[in-house]
Structures are given as C-alpha cells and as structure tokens.
C-alpha cells in the first residue's frame, strides 16, 4: 500500500483523469471541444505573447548570454523592496537573524527531534543512503573551507564598468559558468545567520558555545539557481533513492559557480563571500526573493520560481561590488497557494499546513508549515534518501515544456479564480502524482535506506 494512502484517501474518489500526452497530440481543437479549456481558447493576446516570450518583462541589467528571462509563461510584475515588504512577503515586525543550528537538519543532528531522526541524520550525512548522492555531496564538502568561500580582496582595485554594465557582466559570468538563472538583490540584513553552527562533534553533543557569530554585512547578493532536473523529477516518487541526489546535483553546481564568482570579484578588489550548501552564512529564501527569483509558498520558507517552482537549489555571493539590483517579483504565488494545497495533501509527514492564510512568524507572514515534522520524515524515510514530494506535486514544478503549460502558467498567475482553474486542470491530468517510467535512469539500493538501530 502506498505511504500516501491516508493523504490520497481524499483523492481516491473517481476523478476525471486523462492522458495528457494524447491530449497534447490531439491539440487545441479537441481540448476546446471537450470544454476543458474555454479559458485557454479565450487567452488574450498577452498570453500568446507569454507563450512566444514576445513580451517577457526585463528585470534589472540585461544579460547578453540570456537576454530574455524565462518565466515559463507566468505573468510577472515587479514590486518595490522596502521596510514593509520583501517582495510579496509582508514584514510585520522585526525579523530576527536565525542561528544556523536552528535549521531542520541541524536540529536532528543535535538530538532535538527524535533519537531515530538523530541516527538518521548521521546516516544521511555520511553515506546519504545512496552512493551516487554521497559521491556528489562528498565532492561539495571540498568547497566548505573558509579560505575557499571567503578571503581578502586584492589590494588593488581594477577599473570596472559602471554598475549597470558590471551587473550585466556578472550575470553573463554566472550563465557562462552554467547557472540556470541568476539574479542580483539588495542583501536583506536579516538573511544573514546570527551564528554559524559549530563543529559536528559539538553539534552531536548539542554544545553551541563554539558557534561562530556572523558579522558580515555586505550590500548586494548575487543568487545563482540551478534546476533539479525535470525528467528525473517526473520519474521519481519524490521520496525515493534519487531524491537527495536531485538536491545535491543543484547544490554542488551552484556551489562551484558561486565560489568561482566570489574569487573573481575578490580579484577585482572587492569583498565577496560565497554561500553554498557546505558553508552558508545566510539563509537563502530572503535572498531568492530579493534577487527577483521567487516568492514564498505554502511550504513555509521554500521560495518558488515562476518557471521551476521550487525544483531548484541556490547558492549566493554577497559583495560590495557596485551593482544594480533586480526587483523582487510577483507572479501570483500567494493567490495560487491560497486555493491549491496540493503539497499539503501529498506530504507524507503532514508537515504542510492547510491554513487558508499565512500567519506571523519571526516578524513576517508565511504559511506556518512544520519544519520539524518534515525533517523527521526526511531523516527517517525508509523508502529512499530524503524527500521532495512537495516539490514534485506542486503545479509550478510539474510542467512539461509545451505551449499548453506555458499558457497554463500564464492563467495560474492571474489571481485566485484563475489559480483555481489551473489547479483543477493540473489534478485532472494527474500532474505531480505520476511517475513517468521512461525517464527513470538511476539505481535503487533499498537496503541502504533503513536507519541503523541504536547501539
Ligand atoms: S519535503 Fe518535507 S514538507 Fe515536503 S513533502 Fe517531504 S516531508 Fe513534506
Ligand atoms: S503545491 Fe500548491 S499550495 Fe503547495 S506550494 Fe505549490 S502551489 Fe502552493
């Protein structure tokens, strides 16, 4: 029986589901004939533009290598960054800097969740329950040392172009180094951790006395985003052997890009620190929002991108290199999350709230999903390595590349009524729940997924 039988109980009443590939082959005429997509039939000219990228708005400095931003058809508006708002997230008080040792996996490591979760964390940390995932994650550890992520800038400042041109150049560097998306934001001071966690030995003893205060405050953040791979996600359950591998794919790649970028900027004579999986001094969601690459979602602090949803990982460079920041974006994610709830229906640990509205949390409004429950599941999952089920089922993530999806994304970014329509279409076509076998390429070792017994 599926692990998700409880959650799927609601969904097991007969529901209209059809094969979308046949649908797509049949084309628009039959779709409209079925009365499914009157809305698509009536798409205004702007939607058609979105499909062809003809009127995609530009954010900040325009990259030469990636001149048209790919928002996947979403209708994107730019919003001001000020004291009351970070993008579309409302600030309602003082947002306190968080301690890295309070993050989900760190709590598991310190024994603050369950004993099994602590053993699971240890097992995950060192063997990642899957040899491929461990191979990628192990490589990322090479990028961890302080002298790799940070250092003194060159004492001589090289002449550089004006901030607009320099921003274009930095974006081009990131794309050249294989970023999927890059954005530049004003660095929110509250995004920095208050402290970095101490050594693994201290963490296992839950001793934070050697935690290191984070004192850096630099004005800009360059955020590098890499896709976790669409086809792999389409083939995965979201919680099987490749789950952590999808994260590691993007973590190690973004780490490499940001370490090189930071090193380059320091050689020009400016401060620059890379932040990536194995050495973050800041939490990434506010940086993603500030750099115009996403909005918060029902999952809590995960920020979704208009094209990839949250099928991505990011790393960043904080710097005082003179740059022109991008604006935060609004593509209707909050309206969509209000009516959707698909991640909550499918979460194996019931960590994601069904609340209609975001609530106050640490000085800002967010959906108060339970990161502790999520971490316990991810560290003790006996059917794979970690979990990304919410990422898989989210309608913003489960898109094949076609005009139909581009149009659907455009519809979904236009308020609650159109969000509701897109969610119904998504459910009807079985998006997110399915596994497309032809894309499955990795090997599974279920014997490695068990959490070792206590000694
Ligand atoms: S990653 Fe966490 S929140 Fe998302 S589906 Fe899995 S357990 Fe739930
Ligand atoms: S699945 Fe739905 S509710 Fe959850 S993050 Fe995605 S759009 Fe929001």
């Amino acid at each position: 029986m599926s692990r998700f039988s409880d959650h799927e109980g609601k969904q097991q009443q007969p529901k209209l589901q059809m094969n979308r590939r046949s649908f797509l082959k049949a084309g628009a005429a039959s779709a409209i004939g079925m009365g499914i997509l009157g809305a698509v039939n009536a798409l205004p000219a702007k939607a058609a533009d979105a499909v062809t990228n003809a009127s995609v708005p530009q954010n900040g400095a325009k990259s030469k290598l990636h001149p048209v931003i790919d928002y996947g058809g979403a209708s994107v508006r730019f919003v001001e960054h000020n004291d009351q708002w970070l993008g579309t997230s409302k600030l309602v008080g003082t947002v306190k800097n968080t301690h890295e040792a309070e993050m989900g996996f760190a709590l598991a490591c310190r024994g603050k969740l369950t004993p099994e979760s602590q053993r699971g964390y240890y097992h995950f940390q060192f063997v990642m329950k899957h040899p491929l995932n461990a191979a990628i994650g192990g490589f990322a550890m090479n990028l961890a040392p302080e002298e790799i992520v940070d250092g003194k800038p060159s004492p001589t400042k090289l002449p550089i172009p004006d901030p607009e041109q320099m921003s274009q150049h930095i974006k081009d560097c990131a794309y050249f180094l294989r970023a999927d998306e890059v954005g530049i934001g004003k660095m929110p001071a509250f995004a920095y951790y208050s402290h970095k966690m101490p050594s693994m030995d201290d963490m296992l003893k839950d001793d934070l006395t050697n935690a290191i205060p984070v004192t850096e405050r630099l004005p800009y953040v360059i955020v590098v985003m890499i896709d976790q791979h669409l086809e792999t996600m389409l083939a995965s359950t979201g919680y099987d052997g490749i789950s952590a591998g999808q994260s590691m794919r993007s973590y190690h790649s973004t780490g490499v890009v940001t370490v090189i970028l930071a090193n380059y900027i320091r050689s020009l004579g400016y401060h620059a620190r890379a932040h990536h999986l194995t050495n973050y001094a800041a939490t990434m969601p506010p940086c993603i929002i500030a750099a115009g690459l996403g909005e918060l979602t029902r999952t809590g602090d995960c920020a979704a991108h208009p094209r990839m949803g949250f099928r991505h990982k990011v790393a960043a460079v904080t710097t005082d290199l003179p740059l022109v920041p991008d604006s935060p974006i609004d593509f209707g994610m909050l309206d969509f999350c209000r009516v959707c709830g698909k991640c909550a229906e499918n979460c194996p640990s019931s960590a994601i709230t069904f609340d209609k509205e975001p609530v106050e949390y640490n000085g800002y409004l967010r959906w108060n999903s339970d990161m502790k429950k999520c971490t316990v599941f991810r560290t003790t999952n006996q059917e794979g390595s970690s979990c990304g089920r919410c990422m898989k089922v989210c309608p913003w993530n489960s898109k094949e590349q076609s005009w139909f999806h581009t149009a659907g994304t455009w519809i979904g970014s236009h308020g609650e009524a159109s969000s509701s329509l897109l969610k119904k279409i998504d459910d009807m076509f079985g998006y997110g729940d399915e596994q497309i076998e032809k894309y499955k390429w990795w090997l599974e070792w279920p014997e490695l997924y068990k959490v070792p017994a206590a000694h």
Side-chain angles (χ1 to χ4, degrees), residues 164-178:
E164 173 89 23
Q165 262 188 305
M166 198 64 208
S167 302
Q168 172 186 309
H169 172 68
I170 288 294
K171 287 183 176 180
D172 284 331
C173 285
Y175 287 122
F176 176 68
L177 293 168
R178 299 189 179 167

Side-chain angles (χ1 to χ4, degrees), residues 146-425:
E146 279 304 304
E147 62 274 20
I148 299 272
V149 297
D150 205 357
K152 286 203 166 64
S154 163
T156 312
K157 279 191 165 57
L158 288 177
I160 56 167
D162 65 51
E164 173 89 23
Q165 262 188 305
M166 198 64 208
S167 302
Q168 172 186 309
H169 172 68
I170 288 294
K171 287 183 176 180
D172 284 331
C173 285
Y175 287 122
F176 176 68
L177 293 168
R178 299 189 179 167
D180 286 324
E181 290 298 343
V182 57
I184 298 170
K186 286 185 194 161
M187 178 64 181
F190 58 75
Y192 282 108
Y193 287 134
S194 64
H195 295 78
K196 282 194 58 58
M197 58 187 168
S199 69
M200 179 67 74
D201 281 351
D202 284 348
M203 289 287 283
L204 288 166
K205 289 184 277 183
D206 192 23
D207 177 359
L208 300 186
T209 50
N210 293 319
I212 305 149
V214 175
T215 55
E216 177 193 288
R217 293 293 181 268
L218 292 172
Y220 300 113
V221 60
I222 303 158
V223 178
V224 171
M225 182 174 272
I226 289 186
D227 194 326
Q228 293 195 33
H229 201 241
L230 175 64
E231 286 80 5
T232 302
M233 190 206 65
L234 289 171
S236 163
T237 61
Y239 55 95
D240 54 21
I242 198 61
S243 176
Q246 286 184 262
S247 298
M248 293 304 142
R249 168 191 203 259
S250 309
Y251 274 136
H252 101 272
S253 309
T254 51
V256 168
V257 175
T258 52
V259 161
I260 294 171
L261 264 185
N263 203 350
Y264 175 46
I265 293 170
R266 288 196 299 272
S267 72
L268 302 178
Y270 295 86
H271 292 95
R273 193 226 197 256
H275 305 257
H276 60 74
L277 171 68
T278 52
N279 194 336
Y280 282 117
T283 181
M284 291 294 102
C287 301
I288 293 174
I289 298 170
L293 292 178
E295 290 184 74
L296 283 193
T297 65
R298 177 174 290 281
T299 55
D301 281 330
C302 290
H305 179 269
R307 183 178 83 258
M308 288 178 262
F310 42 102
R311 193 189 66 234
H312 62 73
K313 293 293 181 194
V314 302
V317 177
T318 43
T319 183
D320 57 4
L321 181 70
L323 294 170
V324 174
D326 297 315
S327 297
I329 56 173
D330 174 2
F331 55 99
M333 193 75 206
L334 298 186
D335 280 341
F336 201 100
C337 284
R338 276 192 186 92
V339 300
C340 173
K342 202 162 172 169
C343 52
E345 290 163 8
N346 282 275
C347 172
S349 65
S350 304
I352 302 176
T353 179
F354 284 93
D355 287 353
K356 169 95 174 159
E357 296 294 334
V359 296
E360 183 172 353
Y361 172 85
N362 187 29
Y364 61 102
L365 297 184
R366 72 163 207 188
W367 271 283
N368 222 1
S369 291
D370 191 334
M371 167 260 284
K372 291 181 183 173
K373 281 187 186 169
C374 165
T375 306
V376 168
F377 178 77
R378 286 194 290 159
T379 47
T380 60
N381 172 16
Q382 307 274 339
E383 296 177 40
S385 174
S386 197
C387 179
R389 178 80 177 166
C390 48
M391 170 188 87
K392 178 181 169 71
V393 302
C394 177
W396 293 87
N397 307 313
S398 55
K399 297 184 288 279
E400 290 171 302
Q401 282 151 0
S402 69
W403 69 268
F404 177 76
H405 287 280
T406 307
T409 305
W410 187 88
I411 293 170
S413 52
H414 279 79
E416 287 199 24
S418 51
S419 300
S420 179
L421 170 69
L422 183 58
K423 203 262 181 173
K424 283 189 183 113
I425 294 171

